[in-house]
Amino acid sequence: MLAEINDFLNNLIWGNILIYLLPALGIFFTITSRFVQFRYFFKMFNVLRDTVHDKEGHISSFQALMLSVAGRVGGGNIAGVAVAITLGGPGAVFWMWIIGLIGMSTSFFECSLAQLYKEKDGEDSCVYRGGPAYYVTKALGQRWLGVIISVLLMITFGFAFNATQSFIISTSFEASFDIPTWITGGIVTLVFAIAIFGGVKRITRFSEVIVPVMAMGYLLIAIVVIALNVEKIPALITMIIEQAFNPSSAIGGGIGAVILQGAKRGMFSNEAGLGSAPNVAAVAYVAHPVQQGIVQSFSVFIDTIILCSCTAFIILLSGVYSPGQEGVQGVLLTQNALIEHIGPFGGYFVTVALFLFGLSSMLYNYYLAENSLNFFSKGNTMLFNGFRILCVALIIWGSFQDLSSIFSFADLSMGLLAVINLVVIAILYKPVLRLIKGYDRQLKEGRKPVLRYNDYHEFKIDKDTWKEIVDNINDKKQKA
């Protein structure tokens, strides 16, 4: 009965709402901003170069970008793409690209809003907080909706996405090393529990060193595979585009299923419009909200257009994929593809990479979930410990679920969160357009843009927070 209810809600949200809302709003944001994700694309490098470094411990734009990318790079790039191809065929990759490109503008809007409406975490703190719950509460005056968003973020990231990561890691170890999923699930659960109950900083520092190395290693392997098959790339891209509009008869559901899988897995991977990235974007110490909007928009490009494409090409160039094939699904498809390209090492590499990426993503997901809990409940030790126990329990649960159950749960919670957040940023698009105009105007004046916070009094922003930031930055300029 629960499965039937879950399927009904998933079909309603994804098949009748998000399939139209997601691309429609992405196109709307793209057009109203005059293709902001493409106009500002190369400004991202200048933004990162001019990032404000502060001795008081503020988080830079680059650091926020790395935190966001570290959270996004993981199961969505390696296993999520394989799931999209398994259930939607090669054509799903095309729709992942489309969702990624228009999602860059969606991410720009939500992250710029998060910056505009951020607040200090305490009078003497150098840390900032923000995100959907904050801009809903401040801009719309609807704290109750902020609480709902926070709860959905906790369910989606603290429960659903972490259970999904546990499933991906466990099935990968079973395929590569013949280790039962419950053993791997137990180990992952133990490491995760130690991290969130007391050793987060130590393991996070470990992840910050290892994960970028593994990410570059995965990218390097993908480049080698593509280089060895470079003559097949034009035909492969043509096939992906053809399958996007005329899928194989072996794909159940036709073109609708292809688009749905591309949209679902694209959002699962890059999280554009989902409301997660704004929580991280808000903590960055920048002179103007648009700066972090540009940077976070680029993170969607890195995730979907670069890393997801690498996985898709590895799979489709290997010859192991067959439409409608039974028994080889999800991450196993990626592993088999790499084994076909570079031998047994490929399967082992995917397994180890998934473990490291997955652990990093799980800690990132937990950070988002706990940050959301902090929105409406601060300092309640019993509540926070109870929440941690629930998160740990979902890690165990996820390790022995099947493919359809685990992704169905993640899709439902993600879909509910996405619908609310997308509607909210659609309502609040005018402040972002005002930010873009102000940013462009200062560039034309030959200035390095800073937020002229007095121009935004009707939008109910925290002027004291922005006055402190702008005054500090101006002081540094004068001293320089």
Side-chain angles (χ1 to χ4, degrees), residues 89-161:
V93 177
F94 173 82
W95 296 111
M96 287 186 72
W97 290 340
I98 297 300
I99 290 296
L101 289 173
I102 63 176
M104 289 172 68
S105 66
T106 305
S107 186
F108 175 90
F109 269 69
E110 62 178 349
C111 293
S112 296
L113 279 173
Q115 270 285 326
L116 182 64
Y117 288 102
K118 70 182 179 182
E119 63 182 38
K120 288 187 71 174
D121 185 24
E123 187 67 28
D124 300 321
S125 175
C126 60
V127 177
Y128 301 94
R129 290 190 183 274
Y134 291 83
Y135 52 70
V136 161
T137 300
K138 291 186 175 183
L140 301 181
Q142 305 296 327
R143 180 174 171 78
W144 64 270
L145 188 56
V147 171
I148 290 176
I149 290 173
S150 294
V151 170
L152 285 173
L153 270 166
M154 287 190 295
I155 293 173
T156 302
F157 289 90
F159 301 157
F161 278 12

Side-chain angles (χ1 to χ4, degrees), residues 162-182:
N162 272 356
T164 304
Q165 294 287 356
S166 177
F167 165 81
I168 292 170
I169 294 170
S170 300
T171 54
S172 180
F173 268 82
E174 184 179 46
S176 292
F177 304 109
D178 200 27
I179 299 174
T181 55
W182 67 269

Side-chain angles (χ1 to χ4, degrees), residues 214-234:
M214 296 302 295
M216 291 304 297
Y218 185 70
L219 184 60
L220 181 61
I221 287 177
I223 291 172
V224 170
V225 170
I226 292 170
L228 293 174
N229 296 274
V230 66
E231 73 283 354
K232 299 178 182 178
I233 298 300

